[in-house]
């Protein structure tokens, strides 16, 4: 006893993957209490409560099937302009926040395949404590002090991935996707400079939370996959989300709508043509081919 308590709020594929790492490390390190509580939105799976399944079989059979969670992860039941989630939590709970983002596809992390991640924190001591809790030989953690930039990378990369998925659905190749990734990264940096209160270093975008996460998401993520199907089938984003994601949610389209409101209010829409094209295709009925037009006419090429 006497160590720091660890709790995981949320039990989707990423919450479950990080529970595997944090639970295993907490059980071995005297810095942390042994028991790790995970808060789960209660659902039924084949007539059984998901919380009961996790507590008895130590596996999230819905969101991370095939990976056993450590037995010290039990479950507590809980209630169910662009604002950073860390700011909302800070405001509601009055606690200092750090942010973890990286090229971390959940089932690969759970499968203990090598990857890197980034922790952004304003308090370096907290960053080191979280690094101790999270790091394993195959999950390597770098700590940086620009927490807002790290978190913004995690939100904006999903918008770029929607654009990449549209290009895939239209049958364009890797050269086109590379252009989407590069121009998307330029818009991410531009938006962070506009939005963040503190300094924004280009070097943060070279961490795992930046370019690495962007590449992974534009090739393998759910936002890319659904956007590709949207371009091929003509079905709505909502319908495809239901059909393809087994209860998971898309982030890219909704983030593009929040971004658009901010860009409009600051009168800078024309400086972010990729973000704008994604929004207009998802919500205003513009043709998917507009994503190619936005690449052709991007201010970067003027």
């Amino acid at each position: 006893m006497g160590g720091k308590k660890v709790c995981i709020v949320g039990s989707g594929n990423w919450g479950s993957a990080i529970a595997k790492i944090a639970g295993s490390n907490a059980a071995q390190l005297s810095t942390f209490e042994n028991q790790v509580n995970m808060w789960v939105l209660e659902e039924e799976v084949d007539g059984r409560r998901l919380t009961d399944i996790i507590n008895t079989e130590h596996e999230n059979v819905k969101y991370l099937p095939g990976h056993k969670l450590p037995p010290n992860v039990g479950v507590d039941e809980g209630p169910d302009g662009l604002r950073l989630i860390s700011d909302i939590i800070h405001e509601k709970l009055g606690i200092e926040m750090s942010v973890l983002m990286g090229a971390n596809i959940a089932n690969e992390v759970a499968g203990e395949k090598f990857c890197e991640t980034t922790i952004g924190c304003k308090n370096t001591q907290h960053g080191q404590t979280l690094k101790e809790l999270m790091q394993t030989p195959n999950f390597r953690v770098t700590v940086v002090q620009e927490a807002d930039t790290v978190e913004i990378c995690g939100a904006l990369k999903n918008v770029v991935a929607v654009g990449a998925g549209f290009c895939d659905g239209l049958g364009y190749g890797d050269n086109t996707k590379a252009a989407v990734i590069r121009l998307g990264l330029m818009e991410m940096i531009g938006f962070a400079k506009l939005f963040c209160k503190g300094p924004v270093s280009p070097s943060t975008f070279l961490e795992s939370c930046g370019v690495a996460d962007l590449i992974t998401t534009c090739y393998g993520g759910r936002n890319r996959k659904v956007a590709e199907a949207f371009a091929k089938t003509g079905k709505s984003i909502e319908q495809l989300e239901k059909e393809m994601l087994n209860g998971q949610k898309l982030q890219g389209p909704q983030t593009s709508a929040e971004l658009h409101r901010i860009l409009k209010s600051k009168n800078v829409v024309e400086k972010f043509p990729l973000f704008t094209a994604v929004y207009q295709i998802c919500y205003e009925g513009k043709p998917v081919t507009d994503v190619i037009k936005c690449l052709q006419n991007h201010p970067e090429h003027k």
Side-chain angles (χ1 to χ4, degrees):
M1 293 301 287
K4 291 181 168 63
K5 290 182 178 177
V6 178
C7 151
I8 293 152
V9 180
S11 61
N13 60 354
W14 176 241
S16 299
I18 212 70
K20 189 174 174 184
I21 289 175
S24 179
N25 280 354
Q28 294 172 52
L29 298 168
S30 58
T31 324
F32 304 100
E33 275 195 15
N34 180 64
Q35 183 167 318
V36 173
N37 286 329
M38 180 159 72
W39 291 72
V40 174
L41 181 66
E42 189 66 272
E43 298 179 70
E44 284 215 350
V45 180
D46 297 330
R48 293 179 65 194
R49 283 156 42 120
L50 184 57
T51 49
D52 292 338
I53 296 169
I54 293 171
N55 279 340
T56 55
E57 291 160 35
H58 305 294
E59 182 181 347
N60 188 334
V61 293
K62 181 165 185 184
Y63 295 111
L64 198 69
H67 294 285
K68 290 291 180 187
L69 302 178
N72 60 315
V73 180
V75 169
D76 283 343
E77 294 177 51
D80 32 351
L82 184 75
R83 295 192 64 208
L84 298 178
I85 291 187
S86 62
D87 284 342
I88 295 168
I89 297 170
H90 171 71
E91 187 183 289
K92 299 289 184 194
L93 299 184
I95 56 174
E96 280 195 56
M97 296 298 298
S98 299
V99 180
L100 183 147
M101 298 278 174
N104 306 146
I105 290 173
N107 59 355
E108 294 180 15
V109 173
E112 297 177 27
K113 295 185 168 70
F114 181 86
C115 65
E116 302 171 312
T117 200
T118 311
I119 290 177
C121 63
K122 296 177 176 83
N123 181 321
T124 48
Q125 198 177 344
H126 287 178
Q128 289 309 313
T129 301
L130 289 166
K131 179 172 180 168
E132 188 181 6
L133 177 65
M134 302 296 182
Q135 183 152 273
T136 73
N138 282 324
F139 191 69
R140 307 309 290 176
V141 177
T142 302
V143 179
V144 301
Q145 280 196 274
E146 289 179 18
D148 286 358
T149 307
V150 170
E151 189 167 356
I152 278 175
C153 283
L156 300 190
K157 59 99 193 277
N158 292 316
V159 180
V160 182
V162 172
F166 290 157
C167 291
D168 287 344
L170 292 167
Y172 285 82
D174 285 339
N175 293 341
T176 309
K177 195 185 284 194
V180 169
I181 290 169
R182 189 186 82 82
L183 294 169
L185 182 60
M186 299 299 286
E187 292 192 19
M188 286 168 62
I189 294 169
F191 186 83
K193 285 179 174 170
L194 184 77
F195 182 80
C196 287
K197 295 178 276 291
V200 174
S201 317
S203 60
T204 302
F205 291 88
L206 297 177
E207 297 291 348
S208 184
C209 63
V211 68
D213 196 10
L214 182 59
I215 291 167
T216 297
T217 310
C218 285
Y219 277 91
R222 70 185 86 152
N223 290 278
R224 186 218 64 79
K225 185 168 80 168
V226 172
E228 179 183 28
F230 177 89
K232 282 181 172 172
T233 66
K235 293 179 180 178
S236 72
I237 292 283
E238 293 75 20
Q239 192 179 348
L240 290 166
E241 187 179 61
K242 280 187 194 132
E243 287 176 13
M244 297 173 71
L245 295 185
N246 188 36
Q248 292 179 323
K249 297 294 175 194
L250 277 184
Q251 311 98 323
Q254 189 182 331
T255 304
S256 78
E258 292 173 15
L259 280 182
H260 191 68
R261 281 195 292 275
I262 291 164
L263 297 176
K264 224 171 162 183
S265 72
K266 293 188 181 285
N267 207 25
V268 289
V269 169
E270 71 289 343
K271 291 184 178 170
F272 297 88
L274 180 61
F275 291 167
T276 302
V278 167
Y279 165 74
Q280 290 176 333
I281 292 164
C282 288
Y283 293 101
E284 293 186 348
K286 292 285 175 79
V288 181
T289 48
D290 274 16
V291 77
I292 303 300
K293 279 187 195 161
C294 104
L295 300 178
Q296 292 167 335
N297 302 316
H298 202 282
E300 275 280 299
H301 301 141
K302 295 281 165 67

